[in-house]
Amino acid sequence: TQLLEQSPQFLSIQEGENLTVYCNSSSVFSSLQWYRQEPGEGPVLLVTVVTGGEVKKLKRLTFQFGDARKDSSLHITAAQPGDTGLYLCARSGTDKLIFGTGTRLQVFP
Amino acid sequence: GAGVSQSPSNKVTEKGKDVELRCDPISGHTALYWYRQSLGQGLEFLIYFQGNSAPDKSGLPSDRFSAERTGGSVSTLTIQRTQQEDSAVYLCASSLGPSSLTEAFFGQGTRLTVV
């Protein structure tokens, strides 16, 4: 059973555009992680957010954890072709790591 | 090695045969996870190990799937009597522990094709 819903499922944009992807759940997270997966590779951790309302920035990527700790967003400013990949949120806790449904991003030059 | 290693990287098998997939985690990582990914979709949780024990086997799709971990290190995922719907990329990850703040490091996966 998939507990984390991500939207949109697919996103194709031109280089330079901004975008936001969302991760939602009906349950409260103790913490949430975002990963990016490139073709033929395993996912790689981008960030971990822990506190409700927390905002973290990683260069052109801005991650926000909802105040109620049930949702999160990832905003990319001025997307580049190198941002292409599958973006996955994951609910982390004291046991297993559960991933969302994923957002596949394609950035065209 | 420095990272999580999975073998084989590709496996083609005939329907009905058994397959074994291997995962070598990062040394010292006590937590180990197996996931299945179908055609660029999200990651489906299969099983999680803490040390040699598996507190949660709830994600295994059927009794044809089993996994073990020995010595707190290498893990094998076994699929018996493979079916075409088992075709997918099987990913393994390890982390220092189950804490919410630890990073999971992934292998490159085993692409399984059942023909």
Side-chain angles (χ1 to χ4, degrees):
Chain A
T1 303
Q2 200 58 265
L3 300 176
L4 299 177
E5 294 292 331
Q6 289 186 239
S7 61
Q9 188 176 359
F10 299 100
L11 196 52
S12 291
I13 60 172
Q14 293 295 128
E15 182 176 3
E17 293 184 22
N18 302 333
L19 66 116
T20 303
V21 300
Y22 301 92
C23 174
N24 293 284
S25 172
S26 56
S27 305
V28 174
F29 308 130
S30 57
S31 61
L32 186 135
Q33 297 181 325
W34 284 94
Y35 288 77
R36 179 171 67 206
Q37 183 182 23
E38 298 185 13
E41 304 290 329
V44 175
L45 179 69
L46 296 174
V47 77
T48 301
V49 286
V50 179
T51 307
E54 183 177 3
V55 177
K56 280 192 174 178
K57 293 194 173 185
L58 184 64
K59 296 183 181 178
R60 293 175 294 99
L61 278 61
T62 302
F63 304 85
Q64 185 159 7
F65 202 13
D67 291 339
R69 300 192 354 253
K70 289 185 176 182
D71 58 88
S72 181
S73 64
L74 158 58
H75 182 80
I76 302 179
T77 303
Q80 299 178 0
D83 296 328
T84 293
L86 179 66
Y87 288 80
L88 295 155
C89 63
R91 173 180 65 81
S92 52
T94 55
D95 54 358
K96 62 193 178 190
L97 190 63
I98 299 296
F99 283 83
T101 49
T103 293
R104 182 163 297 283
L105 172 65
Q106 177 80 51
V107 182
F108 293 97
Chain B
V4 177
S5 177
Q6 290 188 247
S7 61
S9 54
N10 279 285
K11 176 72 177 179
V12 180
T13 189
E14 292 181 352
K15 178 180 170 181
K17 301 275 182 152
D18 297 353
V19 294
E20 263 192 14
L21 312 181
R22 176 187 168 108
C23 174
D24 246 299
I26 293 173
S27 177
H29 280 193
T30 61
L32 185 147
Y33 309 84
W34 282 99
Y35 296 91
R36 180 168 70 175
Q37 187 173 35
S38 301
L39 210 57
Q41 300 300 308
L43 273 63
E44 176 189 3
F45 170 80
L46 297 179
I47 190 170
Y48 153 69
F49 287 92
Q50 178 56 34
N52 289 337
S53 61
D56 192 332
K57 302 180 182 180
S58 62
L60 294 176
S62 75
D63 59 9
R64 297 186 294 105
F65 287 71
S66 63
E68 64 174 14
R69 189 179 185 195
T70 54
S73 181
V74 172
S75 176
T76 54
L77 176 69
T78 302
I79 309 173
Q80 295 179 309
R81 305 181 303 282
T82 52
Q83 304 293 314
Q84 287 184 331
E85 61 261 29
D86 299 334
S87 296
V89 175
Y90 289 81
L91 288 162
C92 173
S94 70
S95 68
L96 280 170
S99 164
S100 60
L101 301 180
T102 59
E103 176 179 359
F105 293 84
F106 282 82
Q108 292 191 313
T110 293
R111 181 175 297 278
L112 176 66
T113 304
V114 182
V115 297

